[in-house]
């Protein structure tokens, strides 16, 4: 990054330094050629800047892509982790059978014996995107495999995100901040963790869509143009089709509008932008079957609707105020209207909720607002490691110096308040809160953190560079006229205060560049060491420094695929469900789409019952094979023994027969000889 | 097991009956001496028979019949007959393989398959000839018991006749069976049976009538890999850019005794050769030398357990399937490697010839169905393949990278393939070198059109409404911008002219040539006048345009400053020239122009700043 913002300033100052020199030279040399060189030089400064900007953007674009290829280099071109396997499987289905089959797909291979209506219970954005890329490449006669497309989708969209970040930064601050934002987000570990090659998950596409929607909305608010607003509605549609995190958008934007209304920044531009975006976005979002009518029926979406009505009331009042000359009359009218509007709204909400038309908030939503909620009420959410509250270390790990630039950027934003900066401030603050609640939401906060930090970096560097440049210019203009002895007295005045200022500026600049280069090093290190593991293949260093690869998961899945009857049912803990269906191609009882808590609890109960009871449960589920993971030999820590307490808790949550204390000895979890008798004799 | 045994016995009885009742029909020939060696050390049964054929009849005989029972013939994978010319055993047979074909002569008992060997020249009366017959059988070792547990060893059963089954009289015959170095569970003991280590000898038996059959059964331990490829698809893709890419898709099964009961990884890990004796965990492929970019993977990704080593003569790839292969277990995988083109592709009278091996590089692998697909480059024609043994041939097309019509593919299909089939075969085709350039040109054209579209898009006005205010505003703004651009150009030219003036002054101080200085002054004056004339319409436009309202004052200021700068310069110039004409001293001149000089420097700075400011709009 450091190297990226440098040339921009370097060339700017360079052009200034060299223009007097060029004039001197022109005086000495032949006239005509100099006229041309000078003319073309002068003409080019703007083009040069454009050229540099475009080439920096392109470099950032490429950088964002290749830094995510560490996982392919260190391991192989494969799909990572758990959910991506489901996405991969559905994408393969989509490319093979076509869109309509996909839309109507009833999958009997998972959630046996219930099955799952895939078409109606997923966000199809990612799969359709990958399939489109695949079809386009096929059409252009590039015989690629769908797996390669899926593996590289996330890096590709990460690259696109850098472009959006550039334009967003340009919109809220200036093009310098945009460039810095693009460079920062290209390598920010918080984002890389979800978008390395092979991490074929919704988030990879969704962050692009999220940022795009926000950018287009801010653009629409800034310009008041219907076209931008429409574009942002489509961005929102894409986001809805890609990820459940769209709820963040549909709550943040109304909140932003509300803040603008309260702070008296209401304008026609805002009215146009919000109305168009909300109405069209809502209608478009209803086309996604998984979302359906939630926009008008679910409690989580009511804020947007409320603000929509509020802004109509506002507009109406505005119009009335224009028509009514008498201020007193208007005050009375205002009071009546506001009271009526609020009471109508409250009554509508109350009736809707009471009659069950408007569904209450879901557990996930509660757990976002209140970090302790999930622990007490929904163990299945709490059991996922990425739903844990975030530790400080992971903030540091994922943001590094951005954590320090973030408050500085907030300061700059507050100093130059505009509609756009208010938005980015709100986005930053809310997403930071959510990032603190759940580890995985660091991802959502990352673009905001990068943008705000970019503002800080860009503004600081610009100010400092101006100081440095002003001085050097003065020196130059002085020295260029060697014959003249007298200088402007005004310049002498400035000179007295400048040495200290200039040195200070240089030191600060160097410090900023040092921090940024540390950031770049840190990001590369984190990407290559921490975030590139597919987590399905494990690599370790052997005693002699050689690389040892543990590929036991795939060994097991491939054995299932090859050597079991095609209709065999495999019972395992839900973590492995997607992988078994995708790699083992066998029917599973439960999988990572934890939509049916009871079913998971049944499996948990089977796992934690005595063997004869467990046998009965498994017979009732037609189970042919049981897959358990034991990491004791190789020292793999996240095996089923480690997860066992969660099985007990989730099982116990539905079937009170299972009690957690039965498996503990004096409140401790032991797995050795001293373990609780029930623990020793259960199926696990 | 019991079932198969009964079937075998019944068959033997039937054969004996046939042998007793059928009259010898083709008995002009007799086999003076038959030596049979059966190699049972691997899953592939190789029977090498040396026949000494004698013609006792009067007519010359040009063909010899070989018979196999149907149950053996079904498993026959490979049969060659060579004439053993020399006395020395090791000496290669002269004249190569003799043509062999299936015949159905009259009077042959059913359930026998007969092959006829055409001799290179007729066998006259009393002549004799030594023939070497190599017959290779697959799937003829039957695992007994059929199901074993992880720790059991694998026992297999082999059935043969102790007598050589032949339509001719056999004078003397002997049989030796070579077994792997392991336990022998049981074997049929006849007269003259000897066991030496791992070799069993039957015979010699003398004066056997035609079709005599004496069953023997050998039951022994065999832990050699029973790797059978149910299907193998070898794809050989030729790129004339210097690579032959071979991709082999294996669908492998362990065809030995089925595994039953549970499999304990821990036991296997601890003592793999005791607790998994019947399993095989690795296969070795012998790749051609200079093979490169070798990979080994399956549907779900790369398989990390493989190693490759090699030297200039060969490359050996050792691969381990994902899990140890126990009886009945299946796996699929793909290996691929690139080969240098020049080692395999040759040009023969205007045609190109691909010369590459037919079978698999794996050692001791039986292939039930082998498909060899040779993918030729797009635009090949006149395709023909020549394979030394009968195969099914067909053609198809494959669409790969950047193909328009697809690449022609020659598909060769053969079942029951053993390592003996691993010989070279040839594919002939025509291909012009110009076609090689087609794809790069296509790519270049594609990018060219992409950029052309971009250029066109940038230059074509795509707005829908030509009368909308925003569109007009945009147009006006563009006009303003071009005007400003021109204006800046003119100012720059003025500035350079000014520099010329300065330069002339410097020349003056050096040479003292007042006249030259004056001419420069004159030309500069004219130039500046012209420039100011050009400037006028631009300025009026900018002042009138509503969109340039915020720039116009700046522009006016710039022009004013510039004019002032000019005037100052002129004044300075005339002063200096005056001084020179009056022959005043350098000090004096300096004093006189110093005020001008200061002002000029300041003005120049301001003009530069203003220019930069306007430029950034």
């Amino acid at each position: 990054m450091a190297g990226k913002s440098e040339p921009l300033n370097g060339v700017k100052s360079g052009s200034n330094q060299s223009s007097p020199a060029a004039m001197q030279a022109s005086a000495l040399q032949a006239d005509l050629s100099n006229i041309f060189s000078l003319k073309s030089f002068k003409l080019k400064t703007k083009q040069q800047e454009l050229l540099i900007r475009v080439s920096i953007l392109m470099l950032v674009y490429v950088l964002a892509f290749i830094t995510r290829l560490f996982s392919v280099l260190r391991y192989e071109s494969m799909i990572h982790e758990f959910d991506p396997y489901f996405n991969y499987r559905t994408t393969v289905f989509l490319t093979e059978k076509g869109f309509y089959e996909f839309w109507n797909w009833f999958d009997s291979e998972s959630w046996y014996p219930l099955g799952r209506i895939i078409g109606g219970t997923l966000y199809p954005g990612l799969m359709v995107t990958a399939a489109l890329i695949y079809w386009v490449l096929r059409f252009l006669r590039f015989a690629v495999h769908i797996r390669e497309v899926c593996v590289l989708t996330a890096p590709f969209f990460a690259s696109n995100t850098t472009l959006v970040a550039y334009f967003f930064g340009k919109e809220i601050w200036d093009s310098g901040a945009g460039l810095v934002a693009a460079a920062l987000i290209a390598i920010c570990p918080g984002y890389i963790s979800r978008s390395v090659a092979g991490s074929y998950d919704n988030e990879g596409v969704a962050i692009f869509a999220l940022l795009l929607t926000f950018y287009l909305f801010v653009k629409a608010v800034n310009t008041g143009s219907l076209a931008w607003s429409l574009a942002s509605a489509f961005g929102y549609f894409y986001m809805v089709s890609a990820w459940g995190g769209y709820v963040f958008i549909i709550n943040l934007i109304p909140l932003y509008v509300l803040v603008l209304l309260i702070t008296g920044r209401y304008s026609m531009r805002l009215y146009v932008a919000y109305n168009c975006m909300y109405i069209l976005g809502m209608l478009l979002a209803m086309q996604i079957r998984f979302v359906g009518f939630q926009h008008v029926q679910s409690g989580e979406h009511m804020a947007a609707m409320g603000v929509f009505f509020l802004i109509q009331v506002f507009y109406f009042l505005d119009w009335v105020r224009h028509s009514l000359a008498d201020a007193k009359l208007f005050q009375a009218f205002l009071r009546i209207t506001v009271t009526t509007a609020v009471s109508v709204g409250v009554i509508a909400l109350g009736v809707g909720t009471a009659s069950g038309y408007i569904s209450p908030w879901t557990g996930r939503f509660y757990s976002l607002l209140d970090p302790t909620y999930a622990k007490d009420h929904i163990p299945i959410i709490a059991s996922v490691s990425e739903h844990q509250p975030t530790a400080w270390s992971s903030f540091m790990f994922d943001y590094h110096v951005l954590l320090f630039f973030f408050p500085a950027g907030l300061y700059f934003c507050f100093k130059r308040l505009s509609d756009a900066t208010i938005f980015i401030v709100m986005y930053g603050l809310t997403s930071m809160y959510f990032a603190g609640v759940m580890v995985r939401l660091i991802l959502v906060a990352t673009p905001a953190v990068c943008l705000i930090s970019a503002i800080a970096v860009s503004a600081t560097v610009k100010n400092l560079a101006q100081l440095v440049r002003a001085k050097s210019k003065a020196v130059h203009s002085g020295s260029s006229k060697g014959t003249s002895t007298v200088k402007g007295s005004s310049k002498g005045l400035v000179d007295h205060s400048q040495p200290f200022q200039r040195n200070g500026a240089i030191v600060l600049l160097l410090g900023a560049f040092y921090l940024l280069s540390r950031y770049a090093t840190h990001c590369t290190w984190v990407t290559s060491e921490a975030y590139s593991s597919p987590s399905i293949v494990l690599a370790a260093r052997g005693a002699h420094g050689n690389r040892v690869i543990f590929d036991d998961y795939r060994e097991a899945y491939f054995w299932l695929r090859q050597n079991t009857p095609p209709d065999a049912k495999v019972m395992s803990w839900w973590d492995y469900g997607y992988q078994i269906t995708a790699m083992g191609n066998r029917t599973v009882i439960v999988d990572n789409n934890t939509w049916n808590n009871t079913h998971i609890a049944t499996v948990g109960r089977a796992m934690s019952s005595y063997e004869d009871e467990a046998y009965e449960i498994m017979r009732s589920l037609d189970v042919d094979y049981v897959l358990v993971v034991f990491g004791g030999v190789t020292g793999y820590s996240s095996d089923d023994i480690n997860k066992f307490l969660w099985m007990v808790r989730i099982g116990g949550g539905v079937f009170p027969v299972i009690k957690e204390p039965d498996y503990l000895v004096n409140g401790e979890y032991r797995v050795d000889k001293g373990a609780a008798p029930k623990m020793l004799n259960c199926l696990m | 097991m019991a079932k198969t045994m009964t079937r075998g016995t019944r068959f033997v009885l039937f054969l004996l009956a046939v042998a007793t009742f059928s009259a010898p029909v083709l008995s002009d020939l007799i086999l003076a001496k038959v030596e049979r060696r059966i190699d049972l050390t691997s899953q592939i049964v190789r029977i090498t028979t040396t026949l000494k054929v004698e013609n006792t009849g009067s007519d010359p005989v040009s063909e010899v019949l070989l018979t196999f029972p149907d149950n053996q013939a079904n498993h026959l994978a490979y049969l060659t007959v060579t004439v053993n010319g020399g006395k020395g055993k090791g000496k290669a047979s002269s004249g190569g393989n003799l043509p062999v074909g299936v015949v159905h002569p009259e009077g042959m008992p059913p359930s026998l398959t007969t092959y006829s060997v055409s001799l290179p020249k007729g066998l006259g009366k009393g002549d004799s000839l030594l023939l070497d017959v190599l017959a290779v059988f697959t799937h003829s070792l039957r695992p007994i018991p059929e199901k074993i547990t992880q720790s059991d060893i694998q026992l297999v059963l082999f059935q043969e006749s102790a007598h050589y089954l032949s339509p001719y009289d056999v004078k003397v015959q002997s049989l030796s069976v070579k077994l792997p170095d392991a336990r022998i569970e049981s074997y049929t003991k006849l007269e003259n049976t000897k066991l030496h280590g791992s070799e069993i000898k039957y015979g010699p038996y003398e004066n056997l009538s035609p079709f005599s059959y004496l069953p023997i059964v050998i039951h022994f331990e065999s832990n050699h890999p029973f790797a059978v490829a149910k299907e193998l698809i070898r794809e050989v893709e030729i790129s004339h850019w210097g690579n032959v890419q071979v991709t082999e898709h294996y669908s492998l099964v362990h065809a030995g005794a089925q595994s039953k009961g549970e499999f304990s990884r821990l036991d296997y890990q601890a003592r793999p050769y005791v607790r998994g004796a019947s399993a095989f965990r690795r296969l070795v492929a012998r790749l051609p030398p200079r093979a490169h970019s070798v990979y080994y993977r399956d549907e779900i990704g790369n398989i990390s357990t493989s190693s490759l080593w090699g030297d200039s003569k060969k490359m050996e790839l050792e691969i381990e399937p994902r899990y140890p292969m126990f009886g009945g277990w299946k796996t699929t995988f793909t290996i691929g490697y690139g080969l240098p083109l020049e080692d395999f592709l040759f040009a023969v009278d205007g045609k190109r010839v691909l010369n590459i091996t037919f079978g698999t590089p794996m050692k001791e692998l039986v292939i039930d169905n082998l498909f060899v697909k040779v993918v030729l480059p797009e635009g090949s024609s006149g395709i023909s393949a020549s394979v030394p043994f009968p195969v099914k041939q067909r053609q198809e097309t494959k669409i790969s990278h950047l193909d328009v019509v697809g690449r022609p593919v020659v598909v060769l299909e053969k079942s029951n393939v053993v390592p003996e089939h691993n010989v070279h075969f040839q594919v002939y085709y025509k291909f012009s070198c110009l076609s090689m350039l087609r794809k790069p040109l296509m790519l270049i054209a594609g990018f060219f059109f992409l950029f052309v579209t971009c250029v066109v898009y940038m230059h074509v006005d795509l707005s829908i409404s030509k009368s909308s205010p925003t569109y007009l505003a945009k147009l006006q703004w563009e006009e303003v911008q071009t005007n400003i651009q021109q204006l800046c150009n003119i100012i720059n030219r003025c500035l350079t002219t000014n520099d010329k003036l300065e330069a002339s002054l410097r020349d003056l101080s050096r040479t003292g040539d007042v006249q030259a200085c004056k001419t420069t002054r004159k030309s500069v004056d004219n130039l500046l006048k012209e420039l100011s004339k050009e400037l006028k319409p631009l300025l009026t436009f900018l002042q009138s345009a509503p969109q340039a309202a915020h720039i116009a004052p700046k522009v006016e200021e710039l022009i004013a400053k510039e004019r002032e700068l000019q005037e100052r310069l002129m004044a300075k110039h005339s002063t200096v020239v005056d001084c020179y004409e009056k022959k005043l001293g350098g000090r004096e001149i300096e004093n006189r122009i110093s005020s001008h000089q200061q002002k000029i420097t300041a003005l120049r700075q301001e003009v530069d700043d203003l220019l930069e400011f306007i430029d950034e709009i």
Side-chain angles (χ1 to χ4, degrees), chain B residues 120-363:
Chain B
K121 54 178 188 269
L123 202 59
K125 183 174 183 295
D127 287 348
S128 69
L129 183 69
L130 268 182
L131 291 180
D132 276 338
V133 180
L134 171 65
V136 180
F137 299 93
T138 57
H139 302 293
S140 0
L141 297 178
R142 191 185 306 282
I144 306 282
E146 285 183 336
K147 288 192 173 169
I148 54 173
T149 60
Q150 182 185 351
S151 53
D152 288 344
I153 54 166
Q154 176 174 267
L155 297 170
V156 293
L157 192 80
F158 179 68
Q159 291 179 321
E160 241 293 39
S161 162
H163 294 168
Y164 182 64
L165 186 67
S166 163
Y168 311 115
D169 283 332
V170 180
K171 287 284 182 214
V172 181
Q173 78 108 22
S174 64
L175 168 68
S176 72
V177 182
K178 180 145 181 20
L179 301 174
D181 287 326
R183 200 151 63 96
I184 298 166
E185 189 79 5
S186 69
Y187 60 97
T188 313
K189 293 191 180 67
L190 303 167
E191 43 176 331
N192 284 336
T193 310
K194 283 186 286 277
L195 174 67
H196 290 291
S198 63
E199 193 166 332
I200 306 172
K201 282 207 159 96
Y202 288 94
Y205 303 105
E206 293 175 7
N207 289 332
L208 304 172
S209 54
F211 302 111
S212 53
Y213 191 93
L214 185 59
I216 52 168
V217 174
I218 304 170
H219 195 194
F220 60 98
E221 178 185 344
S222 175
N223 285 324
H224 281 265
F226 272 50
V228 174
K230 287 274 165 213
E231 189 180 75
L232 166 61
I233 300 171
R234 288 188 89 210
E235 200 175 85
V236 182
E237 188 160 353
I238 301 168
S239 159
H240 279 267
W241 295 98
N243 191 31
V244 177
Q245 181 67 35
V246 184
T247 316
E248 297 172 352
H249 304 277
Y250 289 87
S251 158
L252 214 65
V253 66
H254 185 300
Q258 299 271 317
S259 163
K260 72 172 178 193
E262 60 192 17
F263 162 62
S264 163
R265 181 86 211 194
L266 209 58
D267 286 351
Y268 181 76
Q269 203 90 348
R271 292 179 295 168
Y273 295 103
V274 182
R275 293 292 180 164
S278 62
F280 67 87
R281 54 165 22 181
R282 60 173 58 86
L283 292 162
V284 178
R286 197 178 244 273
L287 305 182
R290 299 171 66 193
H292 59 87
S293 351
V294 181
Y295 66 84
Y296 170 43
R297 60 169 300 132
D298 60 24
E299 294 147 289
I300 62 171
N302 176 51
I303 309 171
S304 52
T305 45
S306 64
S307 52
L308 179 76
W309 59 88
D311 49 34
S312 60
K313 294 208 178 61
K314 62 172 196 304
M315 292 284 256
E316 277 198 350
L317 171 71
E318 186 188 289
I319 58 176
E320 283 181 34
R322 285 194 186 270
Y323 36 85
M325 297 286 288
F326 279 89
W329 285 13
K330 288 177 274 189
T331 190
T332 58
F333 59 86
T334 303
I335 60 175
Y337 45 92
L339 299 170
L341 186 72
E342 62 269 22
D343 292 3
F344 297 93
L345 195 74
F346 310 97
V348 175
D349 24 279
K351 282 196 157 191
R352 287 159 200 269
V353 188
L354 173 79
N355 187 29
I356 200 164
T357 51
F358 185 77
T360 164
M362 297 273 178
K363 287 177 179 166

Side-chain angles (χ1 to χ4, degrees), chain A residues 189-339:
Chain A
Y191 185 27
I192 283 183
S193 67
R194 291 311 176 114
S195 62
V196 290
S199 176
Y200 178 57
D201 212 346
N202 292 334
E203 288 94 328
V205 172
I207 289 302
F208 166 75
L210 178 89
L211 207 56
L212 185 71
T213 314
F214 283 157
Y215 161 64
L216 292 171
F217 185 71
V218 168
K219 185 100 184 165
V221 170
N222 274 350
T223 57
S225 134
L226 263 181
W228 287 115
S229 183
L230 182 69
S232 100
F234 274 100
Y236 177 65
F237 171 58
Y238 188 53
M239 176 71 191
V240 174
S241 75
W243 195 36
Y246 76 88
V247 178
F248 180 59
I249 298 187
I250 203 65
N251 283 303
L252 178 63
I253 286 184
L255 192 64
Y256 165 66
V257 173
L258 196 67
V259 166
L260 286 191
L261 292 184
I262 290 171
T263 52
R265 285 175 167 271
Y266 168 79
S267 64
M268 204 59 204
R269 290 175 287 121
L270 182 69
Y271 182 79
V272 168
Y274 183 69
N275 282 331
C276 175
M277 191 262 161
Y278 176 66
I279 295 293
L280 277 173
M282 181 174 73
L283 289 177
L284 285 170
M286 283 178 186
Q287 311 308 311
I288 306 294
R289 265 171 66 195
F290 192 31
V291 178
F293 290 108
Q294 280 185 28
H295 274 80
V296 288
Q297 288 188 345
S298 137
E300 285 134 38
H301 303 75
M302 280 306 124
M305 188 178 272
V307 170
F308 172 69
F309 287 122
L310 188 67
I311 207 169
Q312 308 308 325
V313 172
F314 225 87
Y315 181 68
F316 177 66
L317 287 177
D318 213 37
W319 175 71
V320 170
R321 192 172 56 187
H322 272 285
S323 322
L324 284 181
D326 187 2
K328 216 171 185 183
L329 207 62
F330 176 69
Q331 284 297 330
F333 184 75
L334 180 71
R335 215 166 295 136
I336 295 167
T337 325
V338 167
T339 324

Side-chain angles (χ1 to χ4, degrees), chain B residues 351-388:
Chain B
K351 282 196 157 191
R352 287 159 200 269
V353 188
L354 173 79
N355 187 29
I356 200 164
T357 51
F358 185 77
T360 164
M362 297 273 178
K363 287 177 179 166
E364 293 298 302
L365 179 71
V366 171
I367 305 160
D368 286 351
N369 285 302
L370 171 66
F371 296 88
V372 179
K373 297 183 174 178
V374 181
V375 184
L376 301 172
E378 196 179 19
S380 312
S381 58
I383 302 155
S384 63
S386 93
V387 190

Side-chain angles (χ1 to χ4, degrees), chain A residues 16 23-24 26-28 31 34-35 38-39 42-43 45-46 76-78 85 88 138 140-144 147 469 473 477 481 483-484 486 491 549 551 554-555 557-559 561-563 582-583 633, chain B residues 265-266 297-304 322-324 328-332 399-404 443 481 485 489 492-493 496 499-500 503 506 590 597-598 601 604-605 608-609 611-612 615-617:
Chain A
N16 277 302
M23 284 189 296
Q24 266 190 335
S26 71
L28 294 171
D31 300 346
N34 266 307
I35 288 172
L38 195 69
K39 191 171 77 176
K42 270 286 173 191
L43 255 185
T45 36
K46 221 164 163 190
E76 58 180 280
S77 165
M78 68 182 295
Y85 270 98
Y88 174 59
R138 280 270 154 171
L140 294 174
R141 297 291 191 201
F142 290 101
V144 290
R147 189 189 56 244
R469 261 177 58 194
K473 209 167 161 184
S477 58
K481 307 286 175 197
T483 49
S484 69
V486 187
K491 268 178 194 145
I549 289 196
D551 205 358
R554 285 198 292 183
E555 177 183 329
Y557 297 141
F558 203 63
W559 188 86
R561 185 189 188 102
Q562 293 289 333
N563 295 306
M583 284 196 272
V633 179
Chain B
R265 181 86 211 194
L266 209 58
R297 60 169 300 132
D298 60 24
E299 294 147 289
I300 62 171
N302 176 51
I303 309 171
S304 52
R322 285 194 186 270
Y323 36 85
W329 285 13
K330 288 177 274 189
T331 190
T332 58
I399 293 198
S400 186
H401 292 294
L402 298 174
D403 283 343
V404 179
L443 273 184
Q481 270 180 328
Q485 203 67 256
N489 284 350
N492 275 325
R493 274 163 70 193
T496 33
D499 287 343
K500 244 195 282 183
R506 239 165 289 149
E590 199 130 299
Q597 189 61 49
Q598 259 181 39
T601 318
R604 183 65 191 243
Q605 190 64 38
D608 277 347
D609 284 348
L611 261 182
E612 198 179 311
D615 220 30
E616 267 172 26
I617 287 166

Side-chain angles (χ1 to χ4, degrees), chain A residues 581-596:
Chain A
T581 39
M583 284 196 272
N585 199 15
R586 293 293 175 269
T587 308
V588 292
I589 308 296
V590 290
D591 66 23
N592 309 39
N593 176 265
T594 50
W595 65 276
N596 189 331

Side-chain angles (χ1 to χ4, degrees), chain B residues 15-68:
Chain B
L15 267 184
L16 284 177
V18 167
T20 327
F21 289 111
S22 73
V25 273
L26 309 137
S27 48
D28 277 354
L29 290 177
I30 59 161
L31 302 178
K33 196 178 172 194
V34 176
E35 260 181 49
R36 273 193 301 157
R37 290 174 302 282
I38 302 180
D39 183 1
L40 297 179
T41 49
S42 73
Q43 60 159 334
I44 300 169
V45 177
R46 294 186 173 85
I47 305 182
T48 323
T49 317
T50 313
L51 303 171
K52 188 173 184 191
V53 189
E54 259 181 41
N55 190 356
T56 53
S58 49
D59 302 325
V61 181
S62 63
E63 60 177 19
V64 177
L65 299 184
L66 305 172
T67 50
F68 296 96

